[in-house]
Amino acid sequence: MSDEQVLHNSKLIFLIPCTYVFVIWFIYWVEIQFQFNFNKFGVYPRDLVGLRGVFFTHFIHSDTNHLFNNSIPLFVLLSSLFYFYKQVAYKVLCYGGLLTGLLTWMIARESYHIGASGIVYLLFSFVFFSGIIRKHYRLVALSLIIIFLYGSMVWYVLPIKDGMSWEGHLSGFLVGFIFAVFYRKIGFTKKEYQFSTTDFDLLFDENGNFSPPKIEQEVEEGQVNDKE
């Protein structure tokens, strides 16, 4: 399948991103409307009950600012994932999300960790490193665009801001890199140039020595035989 067919056959470019963003906003609206607090369903490290957050944490947000800051990069990065990497998009999103939550549960501080930022860092890392590893010109261009738009996010995998789950960011970043390496041969890859034999190549032997075919001599000998 050609690159163009891979791109044109992608029908879920905006469906999944729009659905995901709608769901996280709807869940937050339910919290506000009915005065619920879903923070306890986030990841609470090294606690069996807190392990449920591995499944729920990516849909829970503390306030509208937190939600808004995750919504735009989620939409952009999910659209990029399902457009350029649709062969592995579901695996990256689902398995990557679970592994990000699990790694956060293993390494994070004892506090509730919530938000889709782990998914954002997972997607950011996967899309960026996949383009660099695969060396496909379109994917490299996408990687450069992503690093231009969201390159400053890298700093937040470090504990530089209070109240922010840098462990969740770091977990998503590491899982995204691992998935980029693991799935590097699926989908777009750099095509090796295939050399074809031309008439000029026939003038040389296998050792590179000039050795043109003896066509003229054979023709002359044929003419002499005809006269005889």
Side-chain angles (χ1 to χ4, degrees), residues 138-175:
R138 284 178 173 168
L139 303 184
V140 171
L142 176 63
S143 296
L144 295 177
I145 294 173
I146 293 302
I147 200 66
F148 175 77
L149 292 175
Y150 303 115
S152 60
M153 289 171 39
V154 175
W155 293 108
Y156 295 103
V157 301
L158 302 174
I160 62 176
K161 185 176 181 180
D162 293 334
M164 179 177 289
S165 178
W166 63 270
E167 299 97 330
H169 299 170
L170 178 61
S171 298
F173 189 83
L174 293 176
V175 172

Side-chain angles (χ1 to χ4, degrees), residues 200-212:
F200 181 76
D201 296 322
L202 298 177
L203 300 178
F204 300 87
D205 60 21
E206 62 275 8
N207 298 319
N209 299 316
F210 184 68
S211 179

